[in-house]
Amino acid sequence: MVKKMKIHKVIVIMTLFVEILSAENVYERNCIPCHKELPTSLQQMFKEYLLVYSGEQNVKAGIKHYLRYPNRSISVMSDLFIETFGVKKKTTLSPKELDKAVDIYWEKFKVFDKLK
């Protein structure tokens, strides 16, 4: 009986763990942890992309291209930032995951439709 209760506890804990993991989206799982350590926030980086690329389609395309083919020459970050922190490693996300992450990123920080 005690052994059955322990197994039941383990199953409940594992179920909760899986639910917590699945509650995070692809952006939260893959983007936020790496950017926690950087002095520039994801919101500030979004502003840099918006200044360079301006519209939604161009911003999303610019971000996806950089994440697929990271290179100093196409980074929107300053030379000082690149010299200090280097160029990001190539993304390991699938094209579908990358699309979803960038869509979530756009929705989180876009300023359009939020100004009144």
Side-chain angles (χ1 to χ4, degrees), residues 21-60:
L21 284 179
S22 64
E24 291 183 334
N25 61 44
V26 65
Y27 166 78
E28 291 167 339
R29 281 192 314 272
N30 296 286
C31 304
I32 292 175
C34 294
H35 285 267
K36 277 184 181 176
E37 307 301 321
L38 297 175
T40 302
S41 69
L42 280 163
Q43 185 173 14
Q44 184 58 41
M45 289 182 175
F46 184 84
K47 290 176 186 174
E48 298 294 332
Y49 272 102
L50 205 51
L51 284 172
V52 172
Y53 294 106
S54 74
E56 179 178 356
Q57 286 184 324
N58 290 339
V59 167
K60 287 180 175 180

Side-chain angles (χ1 to χ4, degrees), residues 28-110:
E28 291 167 339
R29 281 192 314 272
N30 296 286
C31 304
I32 292 175
C34 294
H35 285 267
K36 277 184 181 176
E37 307 301 321
L38 297 175
T40 302
S41 69
L42 280 163
Q43 185 173 14
Q44 184 58 41
M45 289 182 175
F46 184 84
K47 290 176 186 174
E48 298 294 332
Y49 272 102
L50 205 51
L51 284 172
V52 172
Y53 294 106
S54 74
E56 179 178 356
Q57 286 184 324
N58 290 339
V59 167
K60 287 180 175 180
I63 293 171
K64 289 175 195 175
H65 182 74
Y66 179 75
L67 293 175
R68 287 183 189 125
Y69 311 102
N71 188 303
R72 181 185 188 122
S73 67
I74 60 171
S75 174
V76 297
M77 300 309 291
S78 70
D79 288 341
L80 178 60
F81 182 89
I82 297 294
E83 288 169 16
T84 306
F85 299 101
V87 175
K88 184 194 175 318
K89 292 180 182 171
K90 184 178 179 178
T91 185
T92 57
L93 295 176
S94 71
K96 190 175 179 177
E97 290 173 320
L98 183 58
D99 286 347
K100 186 70 177 166
V102 172
D103 287 345
I104 293 168
Y105 184 51
W106 174 264
E107 288 301 318
K108 184 167 181 64
F109 294 113
K110 72 177 182 181

Side-chain angles (χ1 to χ4, degrees), residues 1-14:
M1 183 71 171
V2 173
K3 190 174 181 178
K4 248 184 170 180
M5 289 179 66
K6 285 183 181 180
I7 291 173
H8 180 72
K9 262 186 174 179
V10 169
I11 290 172
V12 169
I13 290 170
M14 287 178 65

